[in-house]
Amino acid sequence: MDHSLSIDSQPDDASEGLMMTVHPGKKATNQIWFSRILQSVDVIVGLRYSIERDGLEYKRDFQNFRPVDNTSAPAYLYFDRQTSTIPDDRGDAFKIYDGLLVVSQKLRDVLSSFDLGQTKLIEVPICLSDAKTVSSYPPHYILHVAETKECFVPEASEKVERQVWWGETEPRPDAPWIADPSSDVLAVRSSAAVGVDLWADPTLKERIFLSDRLKHAIDQAGVTQKGLEPVPATILD
């Protein structure tokens, strides 16, 4: 599957006559933020997970923002044989094997005080590489995002394009959008500010969105935000 993206690429249908009011980086109570952490390669920790069900099935549920119950999720994490610590600079949010997103107790406490809907914070002990002995680290939490809102407006965004499947030369009409890892500018509809405070868009890969109130609560809690680093979206009325 080809996830490559040309830095200079722009959507072909970029919007002649887009009938919306645009507020770039608008700083208001209905501001919406997005995070690139699911695409980041700078916040990976050498941890694997133990799960009763097929791990590939769970990975697909995670990547496609599908709800799961706790019995269908990983039971614990364990270090691979080359890793024995969580680097200090990984802070309160990082990725592990298969791209799963893990957060600390500190960030979990902030998130759990907001409306997450079907999104789950799944408690997982962290074990040593023998996958048996519990390490000295406190339990962490898999952040399994399972709420979606179709809010992304590709024709008003920058550095995004449709995914091209492996072996094909053109994107399919219903192909999901992919964004540049570090310089995308995402436009979203202002109506997305209503409802749950953390969500994804089912048409856009590897991006999660945060409400303004959640973003500021994370700031005020002093959470280490490397990788998470919310970016203001362009709001369309």
Side-chain angles (χ1 to χ4, degrees):
M1 191 177 296
D2 183 6
H3 291 267
S4 63
L5 179 66
S6 169
I7 296 299
D8 295 324
S9 65
Q10 298 288 340
D12 293 336
D13 56 352
S15 75
E16 185 174 338
L18 182 67
M19 300 301 292
M20 295 180 178
T21 303
V22 181
H23 305 284
K26 179 179 172 186
K27 185 75 172 178
T29 55
N30 69 337
Q31 177 63 55
I32 294 168
W33 304 77
F34 68 92
S35 173
R36 302 179 177 116
I37 192 167
L38 292 180
Q39 198 177 13
S40 174
V41 297
D42 296 327
V43 290
I44 298 173
V45 175
L47 285 163
R48 296 178 177 267
Y49 60 92
S50 175
I51 189 169
E52 291 294 328
R53 63 183 290 206
D54 183 89
L56 180 57
E57 289 181 1
Y58 177 74
K59 176 183 175 181
R60 288 171 177 160
D61 285 342
F62 180 89
Q63 291 177 335
N64 291 295
F65 310 113
R66 292 193 289 251
V68 298
D69 57 39
N70 285 357
T71 61
S72 300
Y76 61 88
L77 310 182
Y78 60 96
F79 287 105
D80 63 29
R81 296 191 180 279
Q82 290 73 46
T83 309
S84 59
T85 61
I86 300 172
D88 291 340
D89 67 352
R90 296 302 184 268
D92 294 300
F94 53 85
K95 294 197 310 181
I96 65 166
Y97 183 71
D98 276 350
L100 305 190
L101 180 56
V102 175
V103 301
S104 68
Q105 176 77 54
K106 186 175 185 179
L107 182 50
R108 179 262 179 195
D109 289 346
V110 177
L111 293 171
S112 62
S113 66
F114 285 81
D115 182 3
L116 301 182
Q118 297 184 91
T119 290
K120 285 190 173 291
L121 288 154
I122 302 161
E123 183 172 340
V124 279
I126 297 179
C127 296
L128 302 181
S129 59
D130 63 7
K132 296 178 182 178
T133 308
V134 177
S135 75
S136 60
Y137 285 101
H140 279 57
Y141 299 81
I142 295 173
L143 177 55
H144 184 111
V145 178
E147 287 288 343
T148 60
K149 303 177 189 180
E150 291 195 21
C151 60
F152 170 57
V153 184
E155 60 267 27
S157 301
E158 300 175 19
K159 302 292 181 68
V160 298
E161 66 180 13
R162 292 258 191 204
Q163 182 176 2
V164 178
W165 299 109
W166 179 260
E168 300 181 8
T169 58
E170 297 292 332
R172 300 177 186 180
D174 61 346
W177 292 87
I178 54 175
D180 181 81
S182 61
S183 60
D184 54 322
V185 178
L186 300 185
V188 298
R189 301 180 189 280
S190 60
S191 57
V194 177
V196 296
D197 292 288
L198 181 71
W199 69 95
D201 186 297
T203 69
L204 176 65
K205 296 177 72 69
E206 298 180 317
R207 291 291 180 272
I208 54 176
F209 294 91
L210 301 84
S211 68
D212 197 53
R213 54 188 173 267
L214 175 55
K215 189 269 182 187
H216 287 292
I218 290 172
D219 289 345
Q220 292 168 8
V223 169
T224 303
Q225 297 188 37
K226 179 178 179 179
L228 184 65
E229 298 163 339
V231 179
T234 298
I235 308 302
L236 306 180
D237 290 335

